[in-house]
Amino acid sequence: MAEEIKKGLVLLDFWVSPFGQRCRIALAEKGLPYEYSEQELLGTKSELLLRSNPIHKKIPVLIHDGRPVNESLVILNYLEEAFPDAPPLLPADPYARAQARFWAAYSDKVYEVGSRLWKTKGEAQSQARAEMLQVLGNLDGELGEKPFFAGEKFGFVDLALVPFMPWLTPSFERYGGFSVAEVAPRLAAWADRCMERESVAKTLYPGEKVDEFITLLKKKYGIE
Amino acid sequence: MAGGGDLKVLGVWTSPFAIRVRVVLNLKGLPYEYAEEDLGNKSALLVGSNPVHKKVPVLIHGGRAVNESQIIVQYIDEVWPAGAGGRPAVLPSDPYERAMARFWAAFVDDKVGSAWTGMLFKCKNEEERAEAVARAEAALETLEGAFKECSKGKPFFGGDGIGLVDVVLGGYLGWFLVVNRIIGRRLIDPARTPLLAGWEDRFRATEAVKGVVPDDVDKMLVFLQKLRAM
């Protein structure tokens, strides 16, 4: 039996995933309607997810008119290009775009290094802490005195990075023994500024909820 | 109007990441100055241009630095798009096909890239090397399927001409020759991945690729020894 192709946008996602949240914020900023589909990740993955992302079996997956797009940054670039009439999140100038893509990709490090903070102990954890301070310093330096990474307007780098802030505070801060407000004060202020936007405020969960989730994961993976 | 006269690439002759940028510049017919970096003694220009990663390649265009090879390739494609004088595109024009190209390019650097470091630089014994080789072969088998999908019967992942996925995977081919020598067989095995084996030969034979993807295995082995000793 031929399956009818579902028109429009469907986002396969998981409530607390910062990678999924990037896509949700972008869709909201662009005013694009979509169907949100919460996926079971800690149990059995759905057939739709496995069919849409057979290589990685991960969320987020954006399905547009039945065709899947995988990887959050690939999805963000796709939204820019497939919906040219929607408000752009990337600047028009190629050099500025290259800078935005660089820092959006770099922001992945916050999650990668932060995860090592709660998954490891001893030497490995100290190393992760040192790296995290460097990453936050680099981000704080790149932001500088600007309100947002590209200047006056909220854009690509902001939405790529902001979903990691509730993971940083309080969780990564506590596991790593540092304070974002101390080591990256401009970044801390920027995070508050981003939360004033509806798309961000409505998408992100409070740090306490993320902390609960990390505790759940630790139990599940038997990490002390 | 962006000029081709003020382009500089900071690279290392064996770096898959620098190689892909140079191939793209050749494909676009863009002249550039090439500066070979010594990884044991990085230049002030490199460190100043890429303070976050201190890595090659760096593209310096009109005095401004662009970092991260896949970002550089997309930058070049946007500044010098297809058209004038038969200049080819590196990414397709259709948004969904662009997403597919970006997805597979990311897959290559993730799965093939991590196996590459495992096979050559990080392995502490032959057992670890064999495990990394197995991971590379698994990734290549997946890419055999991807090639079928992306090429649609044409010579390259990019179709008639070389595209993003071609240059990203192609950058590793020099090192694959070294692996072939070490393991005594071809990593891209014509029996297991016939489409990729045909692609490998076609890619190497392309004018834009000649002289950029290395083929001197002995020279690369010397380079490898130096790197592991650093």
Side-chain angles (χ1 to χ4, degrees), chain B residues 19 22-29 32 156 162 200-213:
Chain B
I19 286 166
R22 297 172 67 189
V23 170
V24 169
L25 288 168
N26 288 349
L27 282 169
K28 297 275 189 184
Y32 64 96
F156 298 104
I162 285 175
E200 181 180 3
D201 297 334
R202 275 191 304 276
F203 185 82
R204 277 194 165 279
T206 310
E207 208 52 50
V209 171
K210 287 189 198 159
V212 183
V213 174

Side-chain angles (χ1 to χ4, degrees), chain A residues 53 55-56 67-71 74 77-78 81-82 93-95 97-99 101-103 106 109 138, chain B residues 50 52-53 64-68 71 74-75 78-79 95-96 98-100 102-104 107 110-111 142:
Chain A
N53 191 354
I55 304 292
H56 300 301
R67 297 193 303 182
V69 182
N70 304 310
E71 295 291 300
V74 176
N77 277 290
Y78 177 74
E81 292 167 354
D93 169 66
Y95 183 75
R97 290 161 82 86
Q99 295 301 97
R101 288 183 173 130
F102 177 90
W103 288 102
Y106 187 72
K109 287 230 175 262
N138 284 333
Chain B
N50 192 353
V52 172
H53 299 300
R64 297 192 301 184
V66 184
N67 301 312
E68 291 296 293
I71 291 173
Q74 290 182 72
Y75 172 77
E78 286 180 7
V79 176
Y96 190 75
R98 288 168 78 89
M100 289 299 98
R102 287 182 177 124
F103 174 83
W104 286 114
F107 176 88
D110 179 14
K111 305 293 182 190
T142 302

Side-chain angles (χ1 to χ4, degrees), chain A residues 57-164:
Chain A
K57 305 177 177 58
K58 284 179 174 176
I59 56 92
V61 179
L62 180 78
I63 306 178
H64 183 200
D65 293 345
R67 297 193 303 182
V69 182
N70 304 310
E71 295 291 300
S72 63
L73 295 178
V74 176
I75 291 171
L76 294 182
N77 277 290
Y78 177 74
L79 288 173
E80 286 290 294
E81 292 167 354
F83 299 93
D85 296 332
L89 292 162
L90 276 171
D93 169 66
Y95 183 75
R97 290 161 82 86
Q99 295 301 97
R101 288 183 173 130
F102 177 90
W103 288 102
Y106 187 72
S107 72
D108 281 356
K109 287 230 175 262
V110 174
Y111 190 80
E112 187 196 302
V113 178
S115 297
R116 281 156 46 205
L117 282 173
W118 62 265
K119 285 181 178 174
T120 67
K121 291 242 164 0
E123 176 70 48
Q125 194 189 45
S126 316
Q127 205 175 44
R129 182 183 185 278
E131 268 183 67
M132 180 60 94
L133 294 183
Q134 214 171 46
V135 170
L136 292 174
N138 284 333
L139 288 166
D140 191 85
E142 176 57 23
L143 176 67
E145 306 307 321
K146 297 175 283 166
F148 299 105
F149 277 86
E152 296 302 312
K153 279 177 62 187
F154 179 86
F156 201 77
V157 180
D158 307 292
L159 67 83
L161 177 61
V162 77
F164 300 126

